[in-house]
Amino acid sequence: MRSANSLIKSVSRIEPARLEEVPESVADVVASLSAAGAVLGSALHPTSAANLAVLVRIMNTYYSNLIEGHDTRPRDIERALAGNLDRDEGRRNLQLEAAAHVRVQAEVDRMASEDNLPEPASPGFIRWLHREFYRDAPAPMLRICGTDTDFVMEPGEWRSRPEHDVAVGRHLPPSSDRVNDFIRYFEQRYRFADLGKAARIMAIASAHHRLNYIHPFPDGNGRVSRLMSPGAHRPARVERPDRQRNACLGDAEGAGVAEVPKRCAGDSVSSTVSADIDSEFG
């Protein structure tokens, strides 16, 4: 019989990872959701879709902050995107993290719209999300202080040292020396490119939960999982929008709503993927 300690360290600890046998009632819900999404996508004019995409990014950022206990209002996020930061350091830091969330989701949308999105469950993509989110973070956001620990988090790096071990409420994530193995297993179980449309839709929620269960980074795991999910759902579309709509949806990294129609009035937006993304996924 395997010891309790070996079970805790085993990557199979994240099982069940996916819903392997789908009840008919669940299959019906997935089919309805997929069909409704396709109808909505095809009904929107590219300009309207682009405006909506910008608003959804701000909405996602607002709720992501709220989940973390950070009350940054949509108007504060819009001010941050415009470079109008609060004089108070605490509120300014909240604006900076909100702007980072919008910026990273816009880049994910851009890559998806140009059929250049890496595998969302891959270690490289997950690390890139974390690194990009914290790219311009002020020092206080990177400092991890606890009862017995005090260190500076390195953006994009897994937990790897004993001081990185953490407890989240009553949950004990895998020890830091096992994170890499758990993430490799995570990719194996959630590789979205290998899943059909319905399986992808169902896997998005479970992948979100299991990534947080592994807790691969010292901090920022919830934000990374919430940024991974939009990337994971993009291949699950029943119908892919036309090229102009794709360009508009992926456009306007951090742009305000009023700027988007100007960008969507012409030809498809050109791709500009930063050199570090190229090196990560090239």
Side-chain angles (χ1 to χ4, degrees):
M1 179 179 292
R2 300 170 67 186
S3 68
N5 187 54
S6 66
L7 287 172
I8 289 175
K9 288 181 173 292
S10 172
V11 294
S12 63
R13 182 181 168 192
I14 72 169
E15 295 291 350
R18 301 205 322 265
L19 192 60
E20 308 289 356
E21 297 182 6
V22 184
E24 185 176 340
S25 58
V26 174
D28 288 344
V29 171
V30 171
S32 297
L33 176 64
S34 183
V39 170
L40 176 62
S42 61
L44 287 173
H45 185 276
T47 300
S48 299
N51 278 320
L52 182 60
V54 173
L55 291 173
V56 167
R57 289 180 197 131
I58 293 175
M59 177 191 71
N60 287 348
T61 300
Y62 166 72
Y63 282 110
S64 183
N65 277 8
L66 204 60
I67 289 170
E68 300 292 336
H70 301 163
D71 188 10
T72 308
R73 302 302 174 90
R75 64 175 177 271
D76 298 322
I77 299 171
E78 291 182 332
R79 288 170 183 164
L81 294 173
N84 184 11
L85 300 176
D86 201 288
R87 293 182 179 180
D88 178 81
E89 181 181 6
R91 288 195 291 270
R92 182 169 64 252
N93 287 348
L94 293 180
Q95 284 183 296
L96 288 172
E97 69 178 7
H101 192 114
V102 173
R103 172 176 56 79
V104 177
Q105 186 174 343
E107 188 59 48
V108 171
D109 290 345
R110 185 192 301 278
M111 288 190 286
S113 72
E114 296 169 351
D115 296 322
N116 194 32
L117 183 69
E119 166 56 49
S122 67
F125 183 67
I126 294 170
R127 293 176 69 174
W128 174 80
L129 288 173
H130 192 266
R131 184 168 58 252
E132 281 298 296
F133 178 79
Y134 285 103
R135 187 182 71 189
D136 302 318
M141 288 179 61
L142 299 177
R143 193 163 199 87
I144 309 298
C145 299
T147 305
D148 301 313
T149 187
D150 187 348
F151 63 92
V152 176
M153 178 176 66
E154 183 69 26
E157 296 300 320
W158 307 131
R159 291 188 295 113
S160 59
R161 304 197 304 268
E163 60 265 34
H164 294 167
D165 287 346
V166 65
V168 185
R170 293 185 297 174
H171 172 55
L172 292 176
S175 58
S176 297
D177 65 329
R178 295 287 289 152
V179 167
N180 201 45
D181 293 330
F182 270 81
I183 286 293
R184 284 202 299 266
Y185 188 73
F186 175 90
E187 179 187 25
Q188 176 186 330
R189 295 294 281 129
Y190 289 111
R191 183 174 172 79
F192 287 93
D194 297 338
L195 302 178
K197 293 182 178 68
R200 286 174 187 159
I201 291 173
M202 290 184 289
I204 290 171
S206 54
H208 178 108
H209 178 273
R210 288 311 196 230
L211 184 62
N212 281 287
Y213 186 91
I214 297 170
H215 205 83
F217 303 105
D219 195 18
N221 296 279
R223 295 187 181 281
V224 168
S225 64
R226 291 189 288 275
L227 285 165
M228 178 189 70
S229 294
H233 96 269
R234 295 301 289 265
R237 292 180 183 273
V238 173
E239 296 180 8
R240 185 177 297 276
D242 58 58
R243 296 295 296 177
Q244 183 187 7
R245 187 190 312 278
N246 266 351
C248 290
L249 287 173
D251 193 19
E253 177 180 330
V257 174
E259 299 176 42
V260 178
K262 301 175 186 176
R263 301 191 182 193
C264 294
D267 296 330
S268 296
V269 180
S270 61
S271 172
T272 306
V273 181
S274 61
D276 60 326
I277 298 177
D278 287 336
S279 63
E280 184 76 40
F281 305 118

